[in-house]
Each structure stands twice: as C-alpha cells, then as structure tokens.
Amino acid sequence: MSAWLLPDHIADVLPSEARHIEELRRQLLDTARGYGCELVMPPLLEHLESLLTGTGEALGLQTFKLVDQISGRTLGLRADTTPQVARIDAHLLNRSGVARLCYCGPVLHTRPDRPHATREPLQFGAEVYGHGGIEADLEVLLLAMDCLRATGVGSATVDLADARIVRALFTDVTVDAQALRDVHAALAAKDASALARLTRSFPSAAREGLAALVSLYGDAKVLDEARRVLPPVPGLHEALQQLRWLGGQIEGATVSYDLGDLRGYAYYSGMRFGIYTAGASDALVRGGRYDEVGAVFGRNRPAVGFSLDVKELVGVVPKRPLKAAIRAPWGEQEPLRAEIARLRAAGETVVCTLPGHGHEVDEFHCDRELVAEQGRWVLRSL
C-alpha cells in the first residue's frame, strides 16, 4: 500500500475548497455572533465516560477510542460536539441565566453516517441554554435559516417534528429499551407492517396512534389530521399547537411536518427539525430541543440548538469568485518593498513573482500588477 494513501472517507482539503470552507466558517460564526452567541472551543478528545455519558448507543458506535499514554485511561475522539458544550455550560460557565454558545471544529466518525459522506466533518453549531420556552426554539430555527442565507444556500424546506408526540403515545406502555428502539426505527422507516407487529400487544390507543404517525407527514394539513386521529393524551395537542406556531413564524422557506420522524440522537426531548436543500443527500441542518443533555453533568437545564457540516455545505452553495490580487516583481529595492507592505497593510493580496517562475497561483485573480513608472511604483490594470 502506498504511504500517501489516506483511509477510506478521509480526504485532504485542497486550496480551492479550503478557502471556501474557511469563508463559510467565518460567515457562520459571524451570523451566530449577531444573535449574541459566544464562541467555545472544546477539545478534540476527552475521557470516554465524559464524552459519551448520556448520549446513547449510536454515538458510542461512532466514536474512536484510544488509550491515554499518561493516565492509562480510555479516551474518545469526539463524534459530536453538543455533549461537550453541555458540559461547558454545566460546569465551567455555570450561569443562572441564558447562555448562547456556538462552536466550529472537526469531529471524527468511525463510519460515514451516509453514502459518500466524510468521516471527518467540520461541525458548526449553536445552542441556547437556560430557557425552556418556545421563544428559544424559534430563535434557534431563525438562526439556522439566517446561517444558510448568509452562506448563499438557495431554496430550503424546513421539516418539523416533536419527540413529545411519540412519548405521549407511550404514556401507558411498558417496554424494554430494545423494543423502544425497534419501534422508533420502524417509525423512522415508515414501515407500517413492522410497526404493527412490534405494537400488537400495546393498548389500543397507543397502537392506533403510532400506526397513524406513519402517514402523518406533509404540509400544515397534517396537524389538523393529527388532532383528529391521535388520542387526546396529555401533552400531545400542546406539541401540535407549538409546531403550528413555529411553522407560521418561518419565512422564505417551505415548511413541512413529519410527526413520526425520530432520526437523530436519543436525547431530543421536544421540537426537532431538519432543513433540506437541493444538492444535499439528507438534511443539511439538524437540530431541536434536548433538555436532558446536561442532566448527566449534574445540571439539567433547558437546551435547544442545531448543527451542520461545513464540508457538506460547500457542496450546495455557489462557488466563490477568486480573490482579487496584485502581481508584483520580487526585488530588494526598499521603495518596492515599502509599497508591497503598504498594500498588504491596506488589505490587498500581493503575490510576488519569484525569480525563474511565472504566475503559478490558482486561488487568486491577479487583476492588477505593480510596475515601476518614472521612478515610482504604481498599479496597472491587467
């Protein structure tokens, strides 16, 4: 095997894409800052028990494990940043009021989460801690939409769901964890026959309500149909009402509802959403409310947020034009060096042509050149 070959689903990022990724990263962080989000930078690896506590089996299977050569303890390379941000909110910040936090950094997956995906996403996310009301849900949704607009994403569809709907239907049902996972998987796959088999021993209200969820997806009419066919168990109609309100607040995007959508990590506790756009094989953004995420760290605060992969985002936004630059000769003359330094200090990109080489820069468009005229260095258009 050649020494320069990389592992499957791991790739170098070359100049054109790297420039684009960095520009998108900056736009995303600036947009989050506009909402009052503060940047945090959790470490890439932690003790495994801290990294995985309360996150569920799926994230554990996605996490690379290694042994710390100093302590001998098992470490994990993060596969998702949200648990780390919850730890920061719970233990390091320990604020009593609202905390708005954002982050952008690499995560590692043992396997790609879908065909052709990278195992090293660059995860950007924003989260609001400390407010359990629907106002924070809406703020996170609007921030996610503004992030996509800022980076040039075209038309989008926001798909809304709520984990409380399925939880409400399980009110009088006692099942083990594996049976619960199987029901969730059947709902996510909209497999009516598997769902009927898995729920045949359930009380009739729960069985019929879960069966109805398989077909409860589409536009706002779905919410009316859900009120008609789902049993009036506590909390269910409140969740439907809040979904309707949230959907009505979203402008500039198509809104749909999928009341049986349970994809994602196990810690979602309320509203959940995915944002889809042309060119992305799955949801470009996923988020929602996960109020229990901080409980394992001893501080169970309301929490809502979202994340996306900046590397995937690059593939669905328009290509960026090359940055305008100035071509200059290489030289030792003090006036030339002083003019180059002045231009760079003013924010210009100045590319010096080294002796024996022509113009070999692919990532900049040299539309001007620095030339000597009558004893002065001046700019000339190309």
Side-chain angles (χ1 to χ4, degrees):
M1 180 181 294
S2 299
W4 52 267
L5 287 178
L6 294 174
D8 290 343
H9 301 281
I10 298 291
D12 293 308
V13 181
L14 300 182
S16 180
E17 186 177 3
R19 173 178 63 90
H20 200 171
I21 286 173
E22 175 56 24
E23 290 174 357
L24 292 176
R25 185 192 70 86
R26 186 68 268 162
Q27 285 181 309
L28 291 167
L29 289 174
D30 286 348
T31 303
R33 184 176 59 187
Y35 276 68
C37 293
E38 301 169 90
L39 179 65
V40 293
M41 296 181 178
L44 184 60
L45 76 167
E46 288 196 38
H47 293 124
L48 189 64
E49 58 270 25
S50 173
L51 202 61
L52 296 184
T53 298
T55 59
E57 180 182 8
L59 197 59
L61 294 174
Q62 279 283 57
T63 301
F64 280 100
K65 287 91 173 176
L66 64 156
V67 176
D68 186 358
Q69 298 301 306
I70 295 178
S71 67
R73 296 176 63 182
T74 302
L75 304 178
L77 296 171
R78 68 177 179 224
D80 179 55
T81 312
T82 294
Q84 295 181 295
V85 179
R87 174 182 54 77
I88 289 172
D89 174 72
H91 284 294
L92 299 182
L93 296 180
N94 199 30
R95 295 172 181 170
S96 57
V98 171
R100 295 177 173 89
L101 305 176
C102 65
Y103 58 86
C104 190
V107 296
L108 289 170
H109 295 164
T110 56
R111 295 177 179 273
D113 58 8
R114 54 184 174 273
H116 310 299
T118 178
R119 290 197 288 166
E120 190 188 11
L122 181 62
Q123 189 182 50
F124 165 80
E127 304 178 8
V128 177
Y129 292 88
H131 184 74
I134 197 171
E135 299 85 0
D137 295 9
L138 178 60
E139 180 171 302
V140 163
L141 263 169
L142 296 180
L143 172 55
M145 293 296 297
D146 279 349
C147 282
L148 296 186
R149 292 189 188 100
T151 54
V153 171
S155 59
T157 297
V158 180
D159 195 58
L160 294 171
D162 198 308
R164 293 174 296 176
I165 294 173
V166 175
R167 288 188 180 184
L169 294 174
F170 272 92
T171 300
D172 296 322
V173 178
T174 302
V175 293
D176 59 32
Q178 183 56 54
L180 185 61
R181 284 193 293 268
D182 291 343
V183 170
H184 286 176
L187 279 171
K190 304 201 183 309
D191 189 338
S193 60
L195 189 62
R197 173 176 51 81
L198 292 166
T199 61
R200 59 176 175 259
S201 63
F202 287 13
S204 60
R207 184 176 65 251
E208 293 167 5
L210 291 168
L213 289 182
V214 173
S215 59
L216 286 175
Y217 60 91
D219 59 20
K221 295 177 183 176
V222 164
L223 302 178
D224 297 326
E225 179 67 7
R227 278 188 170 274
R228 188 181 69 80
V229 302
L230 295 180
V233 293
L236 193 149
H237 284 181
E238 179 187 2
L240 293 174
Q241 182 178 351
Q242 290 187 358
L243 285 178
R244 186 185 298 276
W245 184 83
L246 285 169
Q249 303 300 311
I250 298 172
E251 298 179 354
T254 302
V255 179
S256 63
Y257 304 85
D258 188 347
L259 304 188
D261 182 10
L262 293 170
R263 288 172 292 177
Y265 300 132
Y267 47 66
Y268 283 109
S269 60
M271 180 275 298
R272 303 175 68 251
F273 67 92
I275 304 178
Y276 298 80
T277 190
S281 60
D282 199 355
L284 187 61
V285 180
R286 285 202 181 275
R289 179 164 287 280
Y290 30 80
D291 287 343
E292 286 88 0
V293 70
V296 295
F297 302 110
R299 195 158 185 248
N300 194 8
R301 267 164 49 95
V304 58
F306 71 91
S307 67
L308 60 86
D309 177 11
V310 184
K311 290 182 179 179
E312 185 179 17
L313 182 61
V314 166
V316 300
V317 298
K319 297 296 183 184
R320 303 294 175 94
L322 297 180
K323 181 176 176 61
I326 298 167
R327 187 168 66 210
W330 186 91
E332 298 182 71
Q333 306 97 313
E334 181 57 33
L336 172 60
R337 291 187 172 182
E339 181 61 15
I340 290 173
R342 185 190 70 79
L343 289 168
R344 287 173 175 165
E348 296 280 6
T349 296
V350 182
V351 181
C352 290
T353 304
L354 297 176
H357 295 271
H359 180 54
E360 300 173 347
V361 179
D362 293 330
E363 279 307 299
F364 300 98
H365 172 52
C366 290
D367 59 352
R368 293 154 293 163
E369 65 176 343
L370 196 59
V371 297
E373 290 185 358
Q374 300 178 350
R376 298 174 58 245
W377 289 98
V378 297
L379 290 177
R380 185 174 66 190
S381 296
L382 291 174

